[in-house]
Each structure stands twice: as C-alpha cells, then as structure tokens.
Amino acid sequence: MSHDPAPGVTFFATAAKGTEGALRDELRELGLRGVKADRGGVAFTGGWRDGWRACLGSRVAMRVLAEVGSYPATDAASLYEGARGVEWERHVSSRTTIAVSVVGTTPALVHTGFSAQRVKDAIVDRVRDREGARPSVDGDDPDVRVFARLKGGGATVYLDLAGAPLFQRGWRAASAEAPLKETLAAAVLRLSGWTIDQPLFDPMCGSGTILIEAALASRRIAPGLFRARFGFERWASHGPEDAREVAALRAALDAEITADAPPIAGCDADASAVAAAEENARRARVKVALSARPLSLARAPTTQGHVVTNPPYGKRLSRGAGLGDDLGDAMRRHGGHAFGVLTADDATLQGTGRAWDRAFELFNGDLRCRLALFGPVGGPGGGPRPRRIVR
Ligand SMILES: C[S@@+](CC[C@H](N)C(=O)[O-])C[C@H]1O[C@@H](n2cnc3c(N)ncnc32)[C@H](O)[C@@H]1O
C-alpha cells in the first residue's frame, strides 16, 4: 500500500496557545500552502510529503495532524458509526498498534475516555472485518496515533504524523528545574524578533533550551534530523517509495546545514543547570559559551544583539528577591541589546523599572505567561512606550 501522492490532505499543526502566529509564519517560510492560523494551531493543505516536511522542519509545531474524516456525532452510536466509515485500512493493519485520544464533549458524550473507546472500537472492528484480525492497542508507543475532536455536534478524526510530540527533539539528556519545551523556546525566539544571524545571550539559561534552539536555527539544522523515525514511518501505508522520499527530504535538509553561527552564550546562577546545558549542547552538536554566574554579574560577549530569557517565576520556581532590579541593571549594562523576557510574574517585569514596548500573551503548559519585549536602551524603541499586548 502506498500513500496517495495527490495533494488534498488537510493538516492541522498544533502549537502552544499564543504561539500560533509564530507557527503560521514558520510554515509559510517552509513553503507550505493554504496556511491559516486558528486557535491552538495552524491549518495547511497539501500532499503527504508536505506533512512530512512540516514534521522534519518545524521548530514551533507540537504535533502535525492529518484530517482523515469528519462526520456528525452527537452520541456514542453516531460517534462509532461515523468512525467506522473512515478508511482506516489505508494506514492501519492488524499488525499495527493504535492509540486513540479524544478532545471535546457533547451533552451525550461527556467522558473523553469513553468517546476514545468508541472510536477505537470502530477502527478495530473495521480492520477486523477486512483482514479477519484486529489491530491491538498500545497506549504508550503506538504505531498509529489517532485524535478525534468533538465540536458543534460533529467529530473530526486525525492521524498524528509525528507520533511522539515534536518538542521531544532527541538532544535533551539533562534537565534543570522548569525547562521550557523546545517548541515554546523556538516560538519565543521568533516572537522576540531574534533572527538567525544575530548574537544571542540568555543570562538565566537553565538547561539551555533557548540557546540550543537558537544555535540549531542559526546553523539551519532542521529539528527533525535528530529523530530516527516519525510516527508516519510506522504506518501500514508507508511503503518503500515513501521511505525513499523521506530519505531524500532528510538528505536535502542535511545539505542546508551551515558551519557559521553568531555568538550564542549564556549563564545561570546554578552550576548544575549550566552542566545540564553543556551536556545538552554537546548532544545537539552546537557551540554555546556557558558559565556559572548570577544575573548581577552576567555579561554578554557582544555589545549588540538579543537577550532572550526565562526568569524563574512563582508557581514553578521560588522567586529570588530583587530579580527585577537585577534584570533592570542587566538591561542598562547591555544597552545595545533588545530584551525578550518570558515570565508569568509581572513583578519581575515591573522591577526592571522599564516599560516594555510590546508583549505577547502565551501559555507555558497551563501557565499564562507574558513575553515582554524591550528595545535597546539607546536604539529606536528604547524609550518608555505605551504597553501593548498582542494576542
Ligand atoms: C525557568 S528557569 C529557566 C529554564 C530554561 N529556560 C530552560 O529551558 O531550561 C530559570 C533559571 O533562572 C536561574 N536563576 C534564578 N535566579 C537567578 C539569578 N539571580 N541569576 C542567574 N540565574 C538565576 C535558575 O537557576 C533557573 O535555572
């Protein structure tokens, strides 16, 4: 069985809330078509190859879902019957394992676990009718991951192309406290206005997520190259011709890698966090200059560039007294740098004594955060400005 080469798949790439705009821009840059931001992600259209390219190339997407069916579903019977009408046998055989998750409810379908069970039953019954044997369920590491969304009296069912979420790049070995997801760090870099040719400094770098994502982007190392295998490579539909195409896509991305990168550096007060960042950078095979020192002594290696950082905040880490003061001092010491500060704690921002020029509201998991952007002190946009939140 081979994938249908004709364009016509509708995809939905999911993203952390508040980062949809960053993902939309990135997918357009990747050359994808029909790109349209929505709540919680970005839709695009194309052939299967376009979905593979998104998996290999997107730094911001969490998952890439392909729509395989959409039908009215208000209760258990209609949810099951609709799912049974989908041509699952194109991708699922009795030898592939599956897992099903459901989001959303209807008045008659209030338990998502039960709804997932009905969709799963429909898939296994349909495959059993055709093959005489049923696919089995593997909740942890399925070959085919299925999502269903219940909304407005209907169900839409999707296949997850990536399998494990895309923030699991493969380079992280060591963790410090409260690491950012790689996908969120990539989105924050984009939203902060940093571009891949600019120096970057993170004075509270923790496990180094922001720095490593920046170093990878600078060297044009596609995030998917760290993954040995994506979910779609385990589907029944993925034949030898598809495997050759994916290998060619990987080779083309490999050829884009450059050796040059701007200076990328960081520090952290916690020496064990710095050790974790060093280990992660080594595994990602990127160069990041790191040292253990507090924010009050932090010094970027260049006079101009970007500082992008994620200070500790109340709910996940205890807050250091005077952090806002130290951050304000760091801004004055780095007058030629634009600052992007991601925090759930406005007290840290207010403590700097500066008004941000622009702010994005975005979510780190369930935690509502602000990414506040401050222009260089001396440069255009450096003065106090009205605060503007972009949603
Ligand atoms: C939210 S974590 C950063 C996580 C990081 N973005 C990552 O992905 O791993 C905040 C970091 O700030 C560091 N930190 C807290 N107070 C500091 C200070 N005064 N100077 C330098 N680093 C500090 C903590 O050690 C912690 O690693």
Side-chain angles (χ1 to χ4, degrees):
M1 203 188 303
S2 178
H3 275 115
D4 182 357
V9 184
T10 299
F11 295 97
F12 190 73
T14 67
K17 254 197 283 171
T19 68
E20 297 92 341
L23 178 57
R24 174 200 58 215
D25 295 351
E26 182 189 56
L27 295 181
R28 284 191 180 140
E29 284 167 27
L30 288 174
L32 296 165
R33 286 160 291 152
V35 174
K36 197 164 164 274
D38 204 337
R39 204 177 142 81
V42 177
F44 64 97
T45 53
W48 287 106
R49 192 173 185 278
D50 296 305
W52 306 339
R53 284 172 56 221
C55 286
L56 281 158
S58 174
R59 300 179 197 279
V60 178
M62 289 268 273
R63 295 183 182 279
V64 178
L65 308 175
E67 189 179 317
V68 289
S70 189
Y71 54 89
T74 49
D75 56 15
S78 53
L79 179 65
Y80 173 89
E81 282 311 324
R84 203 165 164 158
V86 174
E87 294 179 329
W88 298 106
E89 64 278 8
R90 288 166 65 101
H91 308 287
V92 179
S93 79
S94 57
R95 289 174 307 285
T96 44
T97 55
I98 60 166
V100 181
S101 316
V102 169
V103 291
T105 57
T106 72
L109 289 165
V110 289
H111 298 294
T112 52
F114 172 76
S115 299
Q117 190 83 21
R118 295 312 290 146
V119 175
K120 185 269 295 174
D121 289 345
I123 299 171
V124 299
D125 290 350
R126 179 160 176 131
V127 174
R128 190 205 47 218
D129 284 355
R130 278 159 179 76
E131 286 191 34
R134 305 160 45 112
S136 45
V137 172
D138 180 342
D140 295 329
D141 184 28
D143 296 321
V144 183
R145 203 176 271 281
V146 174
F147 280 92
R149 172 182 291 277
L150 302 182
K151 201 176 158 196
T156 309
V157 281
Y158 303 90
L159 298 179
D160 178 350
L161 272 76
L166 290 168
F167 71 81
Q168 292 175 9
R169 304 275 201 238
W171 55 255
R172 186 186 292 282
S175 200
E177 270 184 279
L180 286 180
K181 285 196 169 75
E182 291 72 355
T183 44
L184 183 59
V188 163
L189 282 162
R190 272 185 169 265
L191 294 173
S192 65
W194 175 79
T195 53
I196 60 172
D197 51 348
Q198 291 177 325
L200 183 80
F201 185 58
D202 178 357
M204 289 174 274
C205 69
S207 63
T209 318
I210 293 172
L211 298 172
I212 294 168
E213 282 299 313
L216 291 167
S218 288
R219 294 196 43 214
R220 296 182 170 77
I221 301 176
L225 293 177
F226 288 95
R227 279 256 182 134
R229 209 150 71 122
F230 287 96
F232 62 80
E233 293 173 273
R234 295 164 62 178
W235 295 357
S237 46
H238 199 76
E241 204 179 302
D242 299 316
R244 276 192 292 277
E245 255 202 77
V246 174
L249 280 176
R250 283 182 180 273
L253 289 169
D254 250 329
E256 283 179 19
I257 296 175
T258 62
D260 311 329
I264 294 181
C267 59
D268 196 286
D270 176 355
S272 66
V274 174
E278 275 167 347
E279 173 62 5
N280 288 332
R282 192 187 62 74
R283 283 175 53 95
R285 283 183 248 122
V286 290
K287 218 174 104 191
V288 177
L290 291 158
S291 61
R293 64 177 62 189
L295 177 60
S296 55
L297 299 177
R299 178 70 72 183
T302 55
T303 52
Q304 292 192 327
H306 269 69
V307 173
V308 179
T309 197
N310 164 221
Y313 31 86
K315 283 193 192 134
R316 294 174 78 186
L317 285 174
S318 59
R319 234 184 295 149
L323 191 64
D325 277 350
D326 285 351
L327 194 55
D329 286 346
M331 287 177 178
R332 284 181 282 280
R333 268 201 316 284
H334 296 87
H337 284 72
F339 273 65
V341 183
L342 177 70
T343 181
D345 186 4
D346 275 350
T348 303
L349 298 172
Q350 278 147 13
T352 64
R354 281 189 69 193
W356 59 78
D357 299 324
R358 193 173 184 202
F360 294 90
E361 187 179 84
L362 41 88
F363 283 77
N364 181 3
D366 289 334
L367 198 60
R368 184 192 296 270
C369 294
R370 205 188 292 287
L371 171 64
L373 306 183
F374 303 81
V377 173
R385 289 264 193 88
R387 293 172 178 188
R388 189 156 74 89
I389 297 184
V390 181
R391 286 172 206 274

